Amino acid sequence: MRPIVGVIGGGQLARMMIPRAIELGFELRVLAETEGMSASLAATAVGDYTDAATVLEFAHDVDVITFDHEHVPQDVLAALVEAGVAVHPGPAPLAVAQDKILMRQELTRLGLPVPVWASVSNAAELDTFIAENGGRVIVKTPRGGYDGKGVRIVAAASEVADWFEAGNPLLAEELVSFTRELAQLAARSPSGEVALWPLVESIQLDGVCAEVIAPAPRAQASLSEAAAAIARAVAEKLGVTGVLAVELFETTDGELLINELAMRPHNSGHWTMDGAVTSQFEQHVRAVLDLPLGSTAARSPWTVMINVLGGPTSGTIAERYPLALANQPTAKFHEYGKAPRPGRKVGHVNVSGDDLDDVMYRARAAAAFLKD
């Protein structure tokens, strides 16, 4: 019988797993949160992923459960494991991805490089941390933040008074002096095989990934090796299975610090769909089924990924395609089936080639056709 992969979450990451599973001859089923989501093509169920009974019903005849996001509660994950369902990544590593304070605690325990940080429970503790770290710091809500949400730069605890009202600790971090943001993508199978893609540079816009350059320009071998070692250590020591993204700061003194972790396919890896021998989505399916991992070699010297943020203010992306495809025939367009909305990720464009300036120009030009 062909393997059946169950994906919890109906977003664009689940959507982009579908063609890879089809090509491999596997069945992919999706538990979507609502009707009409990005992965509706494979949505065999619609329901609440925070309800254990709903999730167990979805999982009862699949070979493995994996995820479009990291928000499934720990009690639901525990119920899956207790029922004998293979869950990748498992509850323990997902707990680290779900809580930024726990993430910092675990990375510190493992001796991996992170910004100076503290868990602060009240205004006095935060003001002390601010005074000890240059007068301005980053404050994050430990759970639920993404794409710049749940993150503030503050000079006084009063600037997050509303967050303290919830009664939960906050994560405070030094304001890192960095030259750029990088990302190291890896995959690990339950048997322990690890594969790593080239280190990439990511360019953020208002806290959202806007562009990715693969490989990262001006990355000396020592920097790439250090990033690979960090990702391998995170994957192996935390027991991550599937795709792992390690978002990094390259500091002004040339060091690397871990910013965030994602235990699923990630925006920084969308370039692999057209620019690598094995895409992150195929690799994730291989990994969670404990199959041999594919080559992560780049197909071209350069690949640039541009996110389509917001989309057109009138009409649809499909209506823009005739001009876009004619103008940029070497571009690869990936649309997520989402209604346009300011700041929303509605698709991305990949372009590969030999000259970075030319590749960047063509990628930006292609993406420009799809948004206003």
Side-chain angles (χ1 to χ4, degrees):
M1 293 180 61
R2 66 180 60 195
I4 302 173
V5 178
V7 182
I8 297 178
Q12 66 261 25
L13 301 180
R15 178 190 182 95
M16 288 183 274
M17 292 182 207
I18 297 169
R20 305 289 81 80
I22 291 171
E23 289 169 359
L24 290 168
F26 305 150
E27 183 177 348
L28 189 139
R29 301 178 184 176
V30 171
L31 173 62
E33 294 88 332
T34 59
E35 298 282 355
M37 294 189 69
S38 289
S40 59
L41 291 171
T44 55
V46 175
D48 182 2
Y49 65 79
T50 68
D51 178 68
T54 299
V55 173
L56 286 168
E57 163 112 8
F58 170 72
H60 80 279
D61 59 353
V62 305
D63 293 287
V64 63
I65 285 288
T66 190
F67 309 93
D68 171 84
H69 56 72
E70 295 116 332
H71 305 312
V72 179
Q74 283 290 311
D75 63 329
V76 175
L77 298 173
L80 285 168
V81 172
E82 186 176 351
V85 179
V87 179
H88 295 298
L94 276 175
V96 176
Q98 290 171 340
D99 188 309
K100 292 181 175 63
I101 292 175
L102 179 58
M103 183 187 297
R104 287 292 180 256
Q105 290 171 339
E106 286 297 291
L107 294 175
T108 301
R109 179 182 66 82
L110 295 173
L112 295 170
V114 295
V116 175
W117 67 276
S119 173
V120 293
S121 298
N122 53 58
E125 292 178 357
L126 178 54
D127 279 328
T128 297
F129 185 84
I130 291 170
E132 293 173 349
N133 288 278
R136 294 175 74 230
V137 303
I138 299 282
V139 180
K140 300 178 180 179
T141 55
R143 289 178 172 269
Y146 67 96
D147 286 345
K149 299 177 179 67
V151 178
R152 294 179 188 171
I153 300 175
V154 306
S158 59
E159 297 175 63
V160 289
D162 55 326
W163 286 354
F164 277 126
E165 288 175 2
N168 300 315
L170 301 176
L171 175 64
E173 295 183 339
E174 65 171 319
L175 194 58
V176 174
S177 178
F178 63 92
T179 58
R180 58 178 173 170
E181 296 187 58
L182 304 169
Q184 178 63 64
L185 204 69
R188 180 175 178 270
S189 69
S191 296
E193 183 184 2
V194 176
L196 299 106
W197 286 268
L199 180 68
V200 302
E201 179 177 345
S202 62
I203 295 93
Q204 311 292 312
L205 179 65
D206 297 327
V208 179
C209 178
E211 302 177 352
V212 170
I213 305 171
R218 308 176 306 281
Q220 296 182 350
S222 58
L223 186 76
S224 296
E225 290 166 3
I230 288 170
R232 181 179 289 274
V234 171
E236 293 179 341
K237 293 181 179 180
L238 293 183
V240 181
T241 46
V243 167
L244 163 73
V246 182
E247 298 181 73
L248 300 157
F249 294 126
E250 182 181 5
T251 67
T252 51
D253 58 2
E255 299 299 316
L256 292 175
L257 296 176
I258 300 172
N259 180 24
E260 299 282 357
L261 302 178
M263 297 178 189
R264 50 171 170 74
H266 188 257
N267 207 157
S268 65
H270 288 354
W271 71 273
T272 64
M273 296 176 74
D274 305 293
V277 174
T278 308
S279 77
Q280 64 168 342
F281 299 101
E282 177 182 340
Q283 198 81 296
H284 189 73
V285 172
R286 288 190 185 207
V288 301
L289 288 170
D290 207 13
L291 295 170
L293 301 182
S295 168
T296 54
R299 292 184 178 274
S300 299
W302 300 102
T303 297
V304 170
M305 187 283 302
I306 308 290
N307 266 332
V308 179
L309 300 174
T313 56
S314 61
T316 66
I317 286 180
E319 292 169 349
R320 304 292 183 95
Y321 274 145
L323 279 176
L325 298 174
N327 187 271
Q328 295 297 328
T330 64
K332 298 296 184 181
F333 296 87
H334 301 273
E335 197 258 349
Y336 302 160
K338 291 181 172 182
R341 190 175 68 201
R344 191 182 204 187
K345 295 175 183 174
V346 295
H348 71 270
V349 174
N350 287 333
V351 175
S352 301
D354 298 330
D355 180 84
L356 178 56
D357 289 339
D358 175 64
V359 169
M360 180 67 79
Y361 171 81
R362 289 188 284 124
R364 288 174 174 170
F369 280 97
L370 308 183
K371 55 187 178 181
D372 296 324

